[in-house]
Amino acid sequence: TTGEIVDAVYELVQEAKPDGEAKIGMHNRMDMVKLEGNGKLKGEDIRWGIYMLAANKPLTIIALADPESFEKDAPDVQRFLQSIKKI
């Protein structure tokens, strides 16, 4: 469930702080939940993101990266998400 996935990230990431409430919406005719935030992993600052799609088979993407890479690679993550279509 969504709560279990968020709990797993919070166990892994120290001082995990979400950027706000989870965003719930639609993506290519599929329900989507998105939650991003920051924290520490092995003492280093990180940004994290959880993206869940209610596709034919549920898909969950968990992204963890240093803040600079997270922002730099965000367009690639968005392109990947845009490529996922309901069939």
Side-chain angles (χ1 to χ4, degrees):
T1 67
T2 302
E4 291 170 333
I5 293 166
V6 172
D7 288 347
V9 170
Y10 279 26
E11 283 182 31
L12 179 66
V13 177
Q14 296 82 41
E15 302 174 33
K17 295 180 186 101
D19 292 343
E21 295 293 317
K23 295 178 183 160
I24 300 170
M26 295 293 288
H27 171 76
N28 290 337
R29 301 178 314 159
M30 297 172 283
D31 292 330
M32 180 175 179
V33 176
K34 173 182 170 181
L35 182 64
E36 295 178 332
N38 58 60
K40 293 189 177 290
L41 184 63
K42 297 181 181 177
E44 299 291 326
D45 289 337
I46 64 160
R47 293 275 303 146
W48 53 267
I50 304 169
Y51 313 93
M52 292 177 268
L53 283 170
N56 290 343
K57 292 186 179 188
L59 173 66
T60 300
I61 301 166
I62 299 173
L64 304 165
D66 66 87
E68 184 179 314
S69 295
F70 192 88
E71 298 305 322
K72 181 178 94 29
D73 295 333
D76 292 332
V77 173
Q78 288 303 316
R79 274 193 294 281
F80 173 70
L81 288 171
Q82 289 298 333
S83 73
I84 301 167
K85 310 271 190 241
K86 188 169 187 160
I87 53 173

